[in-house]
Amino acid sequence: MAGGAHHHPQPRQYVSIAIVLAVLTAAEVALFYLEDGVDAIGQSLTVPALLILSALKFYLVVAMFMHLRFEKRLLSRFFTSGAILACGLYLITLAALGAVVLF
Amino acid sequence: MADLSHGSADAPAHHQLTGIDNRKLGMWVFLSSEFLFFGALINNYLLFKGRDFGPGTLYPVELYDIPFTSISSFVLLMSSLTMVLAHSALARGDQDQTKTWLFATALLGTIFVSGQFFEFGEFILHGLKLNINPAASAFYMLTGFHGLHVVLGVLMLLVLAFKSMRTGGLSEAEGLNVELVGLYWHFVDIIWIVIFVLVYLIQ
C-alpha cells in the first residue's frame, strides 16, 4: 500500500462502509419486490437501477476494502483492464448470440 | 494502517521492480484474470436462462428463494467487513483481534457455503438436476465454482488463524499473506455481488 498507507480507513469507517453496503443490498431486494407493483415505465427502470446499485457495491468493496483507491496506479490498471476486457468480450458475445441488444 | 506489502530486514526478499511486492502484484493479476473465468460462466448462464427447452422442464428461476439468498448475500458481504478488520488489526499489531476476525470471516464463509449446499439440495429435491437442461447446468456451474472459491478462501483463512493461534501471532512477513488472502476473499465477494443481481434479481 505504498504511497498512501496513512490514508487507509479506520475500523469505524470500515463499519460505516459495511452499513452502506447492507443498505444498498436491502435496496436491491426491495427493488426486486417492487417491480411487480409498478407500471411498465417503472419496470423498465428496475434493471438499470439494480445494475447501478450493484456497481456501487462493487466499487465500494474494491476501493475501500481491497484498498485499490490507496494503491499504486499500476494495480488499478491491471484490475480495471481485466474487468473491462471481460465485460466487453462477454457483452459482444451475448449480443452476437442475440441474448442482449446493444444498439 | 501499516503497509504489510514491504517485508522487514529479516523477511524473505522479493523483487519489487514495480515498487510493489511481486506476490501482491501476482495476486492482482490473478484476480484480474478471474474476471474472464467468472465472466465466461455468467455469460453461459445468461445465454441459456431465457431459452425454451421444451414443456415440462424445470428452470432454476422457478425455484429461487430470494429472501434466503438475500440473507446469504448479506452474510458474505459482512465477511468482507470482518476480513478487512482482521487486516486492519494486524497492521495495528493487535494479534488477538486479528485471530478473532480471521475466525469470524471463516465462520461467515462457512455459513454462506452451507446455505449454498442447502439451496442445491432443495433444488435437486424439486427435480432440478444438473443435466436436466443447459440452464440448470449453467446455474450449477456458475454458483458451484463460486462456492468452490469460497471453500478455498475458508481453508486459507483457517490456516492463517490456526497458525496465529499456534505461534501466538503472525509475523510481519505473514502479514502479507493475510493481505493476499484478504484480496482473494474480497474478490469472491464482489463476484457474488454481480451474481446476486444478474442471476437472482434480474429475472
Side-chain angles (χ1 to χ4, degrees):
Chain A
M1 290 159 236
H6 56 285
H7 293 308
H8 281 189
Q10 295 301 305
R12 193 173 287 185
Q13 290 167 289
Y14 286 130
V15 173
S16 305
I17 294 162
I19 291 169
V20 172
L21 287 168
V23 170
L24 290 175
T25 305
E28 285 176 344
V29 178
L31 268 176
F32 171 81
Y33 283 108
L34 286 174
E35 191 183 12
D36 291 337
V38 294
D39 57 11
I41 298 169
Q43 284 181 353
S44 68
L45 292 174
T46 308
V47 171
L50 281 170
L51 292 175
I52 289 168
L53 289 173
S54 154
L56 263 173
K57 284 168 67 182
F58 186 99
Y59 171 79
L60 279 174
V61 174
V62 172
M64 307 307 285
F65 285 177
M66 294 173 87
H67 301 142
L68 197 58
R69 201 178 154 195
F70 314 104
E71 293 284 5
K72 290 203 169 194
R73 210 170 268 179
L74 178 70
L75 293 182
S76 306
R77 285 184 188 147
F78 267 125
F79 197 67
T80 46
S81 60
I84 291 168
L85 183 67
C87 288
L89 176 67
Y90 296 123
L91 261 180
I92 291 167
T93 313
L94 287 171
L97 294 168
V100 295
V101 179
L102 288 180
F103 302 106
Chain B
M1 183 188 291
D3 186 354
L4 301 174
S5 63
H6 300 277
S8 60
D10 56 342
H14 290 275
H15 285 297
Q16 299 183 4
L17 294 175
T18 54
I20 304 162
D21 190 293
N22 280 353
R23 290 170 298 170
K24 188 169 165 179
L25 185 63
M27 177 54 89
W28 278 100
V29 174
F30 165 70
L31 296 180
S32 178
S33 73
E34 284 272 277
F35 273 124
L36 287 164
F37 176 75
F38 278 106
L41 294 173
I42 292 171
N43 195 52
N44 192 34
Y45 176 77
L46 293 179
L47 271 176
F48 289 120
K49 80 166 184 177
R51 298 221 175 148
D52 183 6
F53 297 107
T57 192
L58 199 59
Y59 298 92
V61 71
E62 295 172 54
L63 299 175
Y64 288 160
D65 183 350
I66 297 300
F68 180 80
T69 314
S70 303
I71 292 168
S72 288
S73 302
F74 178 75
V75 166
L76 195 62
L77 210 51
M78 289 307 108
S79 76
S80 257
L81 170 66
T82 54
M83 184 68 238
V84 82
L85 289 176
H87 182 217
S88 174
L90 187 62
R92 291 195 312 274
D94 190 337
Q95 296 286 351
D96 283 343
Q97 279 212 8
T98 304
K99 214 172 5 188
T100 305
W101 291 124
L102 283 175
F103 274 121
T105 311
L107 176 68
L108 290 171
T110 307
I111 292 171
F112 175 83
V113 173
S114 307
Q116 211 164 27
F117 269 111
F118 175 77
E119 185 188 43
F120 284 4
E122 285 288 302
F123 284 10
I124 289 166
L125 279 177
H126 281 88
L128 190 79
K129 300 221 167 72
L130 180 70
N131 58 355
I132 193 169
N133 59 48
S137 305
F139 171 80
Y140 283 122
M141 285 288 282
L142 170 59
T143 53
F145 266 110
H146 179 269
L148 189 64
H149 276 71
V150 177
V151 170
L152 285 175
V154 168
L155 290 177
M156 289 192 281
L157 286 164
L158 288 176
V159 167
L160 285 172
F162 280 115
K163 196 171 185 180
S164 172
M165 257 178 80
R166 211 183 59 227
T167 58
L170 296 168
S171 67
E172 192 178 343
E174 286 163 333
L176 178 61
N177 292 338
V178 173
E179 188 175 354
L180 297 181
V181 172
L183 287 175
Y184 175 86
W185 191 261
H186 296 308
F187 181 81
V188 167
D189 183 28
I190 57 171
I191 290 297
W192 186 257
I193 287 173
V194 176
I195 291 175
F196 181 55
V197 164
L198 288 183
V199 173
Y200 288 89
L201 296 185
I202 300 176
Q203 294 180 1

